[in-house]
Every structure is written in C-alpha cells, then in structure tokens.
C-alpha cells in the first residue's frame, strides 16, 4: 500500500533534511515523499534535490496561510491511498508508519490514526522526560472524538495518518483560521469517522524559540473562529457538545491571556528602555487580547510605574540632545 508523506516547507532547510531522513528510515515501503515549498528563500530546493528521486519537490509562491495552503496542495498532488502529514521541523521514529498501519488493520473503520508525541528542542534533543511504553491503540467513536476536539486540539499534526478518501474533500485554507488548519481538519474527519490514537510516542514535535515568538493573539483569534464554526455541526440536542464547547472557550481564553502577557513583557521592555510610544502600542495590544489579564491590580501598578519611568527617561534624552545641538 502506497503511503504519501506530505511536507509543507518554508525556510527551514536543515530541519527539513532531518524530517526527510526520518521518513526514509521507516521500516514500511513504499513511501512517496511530497515536499511543497511555500516560497522559501533559503536552500530548501537544494536539500530536496539532494535526495534525488526519493523526494518529489513542488514550488509555489507563499500564500500567507502559514503552511496550510502548501499542505493542501501536497495532499492534492499525492498518489497514495493513505496520507501521512509531517511538518518540516518535526521527525518520526523508525516504526511509526508500520505501527499505524497495524492499527488501521485492527480498526478498519477508522478515518485517521494519531500517535503520541515527544517534544524536542531546536537541536533535536528531547525536552520532556516522559517516555511512553509500547502499548495498544485507543479507539474513539466519531462522537467521542468530536467532543474531545471541542475542548482542545490534543493531536500533533505530524503524527497523523489519514485515509485519502476521508481527507480529500475536507481541505480548507480559510485565511481567517491561519494556524488552525489541522484542528479544522480533525473536526471534519471526526464528525463522521472513528479516530484511533496509538499509545506510543512515535513522533518528535520540535518546540523552538521561533515558535515562542509567534503571534499568540492571532492564533487565539483563529482558534476562537474555528471553534465557533463547529456550533452548526453539534449533534442534535447533545448536552455533551455544549459542555465540551464551553471547555473549549475557556481553553481559548487561556491562549488570549498568554498573548496579553507577552505583549505586557514587550510593554515593560519598551518602557524601561525609555520608549513610551512603543510601550503604549504594546499595552494597547495587550488590552485588546485580554483586558482582564492586564487590569489585575499588581499589573496596573507595574504598568503605571514603568510608564512614569519611561517618560522621565525619554524627557532626559530630549534635554540632553538639545543641550548638545
């Protein structure tokens, strides 16, 4: 059975090299590797070409969907009966595909199989101590999986192996939900098909400094829209859908709170640096993301104190600059 591995790529050539090598190390054959380059300006093309005919390279101009459009393009171009998703900076353990195929044979009605994931840093070192021992597969009905997804997105995209006939008609690259394309896809699959999760950590998920600098405000907004779009898909008269949806809203509010705290960090850095205008811009973004997070008494006091210090510093600089004209 041919399995197509779809990898969207953008300006992370050396991570991509490691990802491709982890695919080629799989015990199962045949595997087709489709890399869709989303407008990279580094040596992504050269990395793909170094693997010769083992990698099918496709270039497209960057479409602003942060890999969502490239992933959809790769799935459309894929020839396999099964589609395995892999992000350019992640990697697999050698038995991943083999174990997932066994799970699909044991659960022939499943539309998708996930594995557990370990986290690695930018250098590829494990950053979590937890090691999942080889175990069985947890099968969820479509209804159970949909309810779980309403609370959060617990699945690593790079761990997914999905049937082509299931995923083919469900691709979406809605620019309003940038960063949540995988969650939206899981919802669509789980609304109609059982989901299987292998209780083994067979996927390495890379968490790098660049991810921590990502726009959490935009991510939270995309999450909120993705979640709200599911209301029309609730099971009729289902109380569990409503309960899970409320839990999901709380989860999204936590992401907005993280965004607000990140903006507050930027505010304090600008204020301490004597840049009051920059500080005010960051404060405005923090208030937009999560006003309650900003308006806690301790934070209000810190904001006022640092802003006063910032204006004094800026004023001294102006006086000093005027004196030396």
């Amino acid at each position: 059975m041919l399995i197509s591995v779809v990898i969207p790529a953008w300006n992370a050539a050396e991570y991509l090299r490691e990802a491709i090598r982890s695919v080629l190390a799989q015990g199962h054959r045949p595997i087709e590797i489709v890399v869709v380059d989303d407008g990279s300006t580094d040596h992504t093309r050269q990395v793909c070409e170094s693997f010769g005919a083992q990698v099918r390279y496709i270039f497209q101009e960057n479409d602003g969907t942060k890999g969502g459009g490239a992933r959809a393009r790769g799935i459309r171009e894929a020839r396999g009966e099964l589609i395995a998703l892999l992000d350019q900076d992640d990697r697999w353990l050698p038995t991943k595909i083999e174990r997932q195929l066994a799970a699909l044979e044991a659960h022939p009605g499943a539309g998708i199989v996930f594995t557990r994931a370990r986290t690695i840093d930018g250098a590829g070192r494990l950053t979590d101590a937890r090691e999942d021992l080889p175990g069985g597969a947890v099968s969820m009905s479509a209804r159970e999986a949909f309810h779980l997804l309403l609370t959060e997105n617990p699945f690593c995209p790079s761990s997914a192996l999905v049937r082509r006939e299931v995923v083919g008609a469900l691709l979406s690259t809605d620019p309003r939900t940038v960063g949540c394309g995988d969650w939206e896809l899981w919802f669509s699959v789980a609304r109609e098909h059982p989901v299987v999760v292998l209780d083994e950590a067979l996927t390495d998920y890379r968490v790098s400094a660049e991810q921590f600098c990502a726009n959490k405000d935009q991510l939270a907004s995309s999450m909120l829209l993705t979640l709200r779009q599911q209301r029309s898909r609730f099971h009729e008269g289902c109380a569990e859908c409503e309960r899970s949806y409320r839990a999901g809203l709380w989860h999204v509010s936590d992401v907005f709170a993280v965004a607000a705290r990140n903006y507050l960090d930027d505010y304090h850095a600008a204020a301490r640096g004597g840049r009051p205008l920059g500080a005010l811009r960051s404060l405005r973004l923090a208030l937009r993301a999560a006003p309650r997070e900003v308006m806690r008494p301790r934070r209000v006091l810190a904001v006022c104190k640092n802003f006063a210090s910032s204006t004094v510093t800026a004023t001294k600089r102006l006086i000093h600059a005027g004196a030396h004209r």
Side-chain angles (χ1 to χ4, degrees):
M1 178 182 292
L2 176 64
I3 294 178
S4 294
V5 181
V6 173
I7 308 176
W10 184 74
N11 285 347
E14 292 309 311
Y15 286 160
L16 175 62
R17 189 191 304 276
E18 189 175 357
I20 293 172
R21 284 174 175 165
S22 78
V23 175
L24 296 174
Q26 294 299 302
H28 174 81
R29 289 290 187 277
I31 285 181
E32 170 194 44
I33 303 175
V34 181
V35 175
V36 180
D37 184 348
D38 198 23
S40 295
T41 57
D42 66 356
H43 55 293
T44 289
R45 179 189 291 270
Q46 288 75 15
V47 165
C48 292
E49 290 176 346
S50 72
F51 290 96
Q54 297 178 103
V55 174
R56 185 147 61 101
Y57 174 82
I58 300 169
F59 180 87
Q60 68 175 31
E61 295 297 330
N62 189 282
D63 63 4
T65 62
K66 295 190 176 180
R71 178 182 290 152
R73 170 83 181 274
I75 292 173
R76 287 194 297 270
E77 297 278 352
R79 297 185 289 250
E81 299 171 64
L82 296 170
I83 308 293
L85 304 181
L86 178 59
D87 286 346
Q88 64 181 352
D89 52 352
D90 296 339
R91 67 191 184 196
W92 294 340
L93 274 66
T95 59
K96 174 187 179 288
I97 295 297
E98 180 183 336
R99 296 286 296 134
Q100 287 181 299
L101 285 174
L104 275 178
E105 289 180 10
H107 304 275
I112 192 166
V113 178
F114 297 100
T115 77
R116 304 292 184 192
R118 310 180 300 182
T119 57
I120 58 175
D121 63 14
R125 298 178 295 249
L126 286 175
T127 57
D128 56 358
R130 180 176 62 83
E131 290 279 353
D132 287 330
L133 297 175
V138 177
S139 178
M140 291 179 281
S141 69
R143 194 181 188 92
E144 291 171 328
F146 186 76
H147 291 158
L148 173 62
L149 285 163
L150 285 172
T151 66
E152 62 176 331
N153 180 7
F155 303 125
C156 174
S158 294
S159 78
L161 180 67
V162 60
R163 297 187 189 277
R164 183 183 180 84
E165 67 267 23
V166 168
V167 73
L170 301 176
L171 298 177
S172 171
T173 53
D174 187 340
R176 299 173 301 166
T177 57
V178 165
C180 291
D182 56 321
W183 196 19
E184 190 174 11
L185 178 58
W186 311 155
F187 271 124
S188 298
V189 173
R191 191 64 179 84
E192 304 291 340
H193 304 275
V195 170
V196 171
V197 181
L198 272 176
D199 198 20
E200 297 179 62
L202 299 173
T203 302
D204 284 343
Y205 171 67
R206 195 182 305 269
V207 178
S208 59
E210 292 81 5
Q211 288 172 291
F212 287 113
C213 296
N215 189 333
K216 300 292 185 185
D217 190 7
Q218 182 187 58
L219 174 61
S221 296
S222 295
M223 290 173 66
L224 182 58
L225 179 57
T226 300
L227 189 60
R228 284 175 172 168
Q229 288 174 339
Q230 306 312 311
R231 286 200 64 89
S232 63
R233 301 179 180 180
F234 282 8
H235 306 110
E236 187 175 355
C238 180
E240 186 56 41
C241 278
E242 294 291 346
R243 282 194 292 269
S244 299
Y245 179 74
R246 288 194 295 272
L249 291 176
W250 277 110
H251 173 61
V252 173
S253 70
D254 287 341
V255 180
F256 273 115
V258 170
R261 291 196 293 271
N262 287 347
Y263 287 131
L264 280 176
D265 288 342
D266 294 341
Y267 165 84
H268 291 304
R272 286 192 292 267
R275 304 190 307 277
L277 292 179
L280 285 174
R281 281 193 294 269
S282 295
L283 181 60
R284 179 178 58 82
L285 291 171
L287 285 166
R288 186 185 69 181
R292 289 185 181 179
E293 194 72 18
V294 179
M295 297 307 294
R296 296 184 179 185
R298 281 188 178 182
R299 292 205 171 110
V300 171
L301 288 173
V303 164
C304 294
K305 178 181 177 181
N306 278 335
F307 188 76
S309 175
S310 174
T311 53
V312 169
T313 301
T315 301
K316 287 181 177 179
R317 285 177 179 171
L318 288 172
I319 293 172
H320 181 74
H324 286 80
R325 285 181 181 175

